[in-house]
Amino acid sequence: MTAQFRFLSGARAGEVATFHKTYIGLGRHPLSDVRFDTERDLDVSSRHAAIVRHGAAFSLRDLGSKNGTFVNGERITGDVVLQDGDVIGFGPQGPSVEFRVLAAEGERDAVTGSRERRASAALRLVAELAHLRRTTKVLIGLLGLTLAGFGWSQWEAARDARALVALRARADSLHREAQRLLSRFQSELESVRDALRESQAEVARLRSELAAAGSGSDAPSVARLRAQLDTAEARQRGLAGAAAVDYRAIARKNQDAVAMLVVKFSDVEVFTGTAFAVDSQGTLVTNKHVLVGEAGDRRPVAIAVKFSGSKQWFQGRVVGVADTADVGVLQVDVRGGTPRVFGLLEQAGGLQRGDPVAIIGYPLGEDLPMERHGQSAVVADPTLTVGTVSKVLSSVVQVDGYGAPGSSGSPIFDRGGYVVGVLYGGNRESQGKIIYAVPAHLVLEYLHQHK
């Protein structure tokens, strides 16, 4: 069974999201399945509610949200079994979604295919009765054609049966590989595990369709299943490449050098971003627009820097910004020096399309969960997300990953732990899933010119 959500109000009104999962998270957190706008849907908590599927039933559960969860206008206090068409509200005045239960695609295909086969059989029967009324000579000719056609159909059926056996073997192999990867990375990043679970569910659906397909399946159905299996296989190969990266090692090498950055232009204009130290003398790299504004003509009245694992703010000062690339450099004085990233990739062609990458930064600033000491002291704890390089140009690297306000200036690392780019923005229509970065070789050029 598949759960569908239609956004009735809020920032995403009119949009539709569909999930085939046993656990569906709802909230403003970037890793939520049903995700609300972090800046406009403020009645929704970060992790507001969850939906758990038990067989064909879906239960709604509030996760301790601030404003409560409502079903058809009534606030829930425990688990509530949802009905098709129920309206879920997030707070008394917050956004709402319509919940729908959809039949699985394989079930619809099976029903449609059965009707088509019955209709096809009836048409053949009518045609055969009509042919019986013809003359003997025509009957003999038709009999010969029928025998030839029968032989051809038998040959096609045998060919399709062999193709189905091969496709079933591939689907079984993909299923075993998905289980192996899921078991291996049981304690790794949530985003990789979720992607592997979705891949496993897709392969399981295809295996069910292939098991239901008999030797009489027509060529278009076999071709459709082959195309879907090819897509699932390519997606799982990409996940296997991403899962093979040791993200923990990347974090250990680099996260201490990644700092939260707060830039104040006036009493009411305060922006957050990310910076990272490239040496132990307190030289930090971030984006030009973070330090001097989008137009490049602003001057900050104050800059504060807080390194990962620390609750102490340090004063920073602007060293300079690049003329063309979105690169800015600042300086911070820390007694005993600063941690630094493992290194920057010097070769301009060292990054290729399809390479897995890791991003360490502070999306949404301090709005994401962090450890607190007392009422106000927050220990900086960066977020690690994973992605895949989708395009490499001379002046920009495009990544399929995640970015949000506060991510600007985040370092992007390759599988070896080297910085390959500095995140500076993204495609607005992709909701932060397609992001852009300044290549590391342009950062190195600027640093070498201004030593």
Side-chain angles (χ1 to χ4, degrees), residues 107-354:
E107 297 174 3
R108 295 195 298 269
D109 290 345
V111 173
T112 303
S114 175
R115 292 174 178 171
E116 291 176 351
R117 287 194 293 274
R118 289 199 297 270
S120 177
L123 290 174
R124 286 199 300 271
L125 180 60
V126 172
E128 289 171 0
L129 290 174
H131 288 318
L132 289 176
R133 299 189 182 95
R134 298 180 183 273
T135 61
T136 302
K137 182 177 179 179
V138 175
L139 182 59
I140 293 174
L142 288 176
L143 181 59
L145 291 174
T146 302
L147 290 174
F150 179 77
W152 176 259
S153 65
Q154 288 293 98
W155 181 86
E156 280 193 328
R159 181 197 63 187
D160 292 343
R162 290 192 296 270
L164 281 172
V165 170
L167 289 175
R168 287 168 183 160
R170 284 177 59 194
D172 290 341
S173 176
L174 283 176
H175 180 70
R176 289 192 297 271
E177 179 66 9
Q179 286 183 320
R180 185 187 70 82
L181 288 170
L182 189 60
S183 175
R184 176 184 172 189
F185 293 96
Q186 203 63 256
S187 61
E188 293 293 340
L189 298 173
E190 186 67 27
S191 56
V192 176
R193 295 206 306 272
D194 285 345
L196 283 171
R197 288 192 183 99
E198 292 180 6
S199 174
Q200 188 180 34
E202 176 68 8
V203 172
R205 182 185 67 80
L206 290 172
R207 291 178 68 215
S208 298
E209 287 198 44
L210 287 167
S215 59
S217 298
D218 52 24
S221 296
V222 175
R224 176 181 59 81
L225 290 172
R226 180 181 290 107
Q228 292 183 2
L229 192 58
D230 288 343
T231 301
E233 190 173 32
R235 183 184 302 115
Q236 190 159 303
R237 279 199 303 269
L239 287 171
V245 177
D246 190 348
Y247 295 106
R248 291 181 177 179
I250 295 174
R252 284 195 299 268
K253 290 178 181 178
N254 296 284
Q255 70 177 16
D256 288 346
V258 182
M260 184 185 301
L261 182 64
V262 176
V263 180
K264 180 179 179 181
F265 292 109
S266 68
D267 290 338
V268 295
E269 293 179 293
V270 180
F271 299 94
T272 63
T274 301
F276 59 96
V278 294
D279 59 31
S280 57
Q281 287 74 50
T283 304
L284 276 69
V285 171
T286 185
N287 289 139
K288 173 182 178 179
H289 76 265
V290 173
L291 297 179
V292 296
E294 296 288 348
D297 57 356
R298 306 296 300 276
R299 292 295 178 268
V301 296
I303 298 176
V305 175
K306 183 190 292 187
F307 284 93
S308 171
S310 172
K311 59 183 179 181
Q312 182 177 358
W313 289 102
F314 296 95
Q315 184 176 354
R317 62 182 183 277
V318 177
V319 174
V321 295
D323 293 332
T324 55
D326 197 348
V327 176
V329 176
L330 65 150
Q331 186 74 32
V332 61
D333 297 323
V334 179
R335 180 177 298 179
T338 59
R340 51 164 296 176
V341 292
F342 183 67
L344 278 75
L345 188 68
E346 297 185 6
Q347 298 88 355
L351 195 64
Q352 302 293 327
R353 187 195 309 266

